[in-house]
Amino acid sequence: IDGFMYSVPAEGAAKITVHGIARGRQDLSTFVAELKKDPFFSKVDLPVSSFTKDQNADFSLDITGTF
């Protein structure tokens, strides 16, 4: 993880955007799967384009929830 941004809109759920570089597709897939298990996160959104590179892939994912 290289960085993140946290935002809370006036209405609705809060959002965290996480940026980083994944060592490989499997690592990124595992990371997202673990995030989706968290009951505080209602949505974990990772664009399919994040899986185009096999190694050292830049990614940016959005997490929405009540936290």
Side-chain angles (χ1 to χ4, degrees):
I1 296 175
D2 292 331
F4 65 93
M5 184 175 67
Y6 177 73
S7 61
V8 181
E11 294 182 21
K15 181 171 115 176
I16 298 173
T17 301
V18 180
H19 304 277
I21 299 174
R23 286 184 284 168
R25 284 186 195 133
Q26 187 59 45
D27 292 334
L28 185 55
S29 180
T30 300
F31 179 55
V32 171
E34 289 299 314
L35 290 172
K36 288 182 175 182
K37 291 178 185 178
D38 193 306
F40 290 105
F41 303 154
S42 58
K43 183 177 179 183
V44 178
D45 185 33
L46 177 70
V48 176
S49 61
S50 297
F51 291 103
T52 55
K53 288 178 70 177
D54 187 37
Q55 296 179 356
N56 300 320
D58 292 322
F59 70 90
S60 178
L61 61 93
D62 292 324
I63 303 167
T64 306
T66 54
F67 36 81

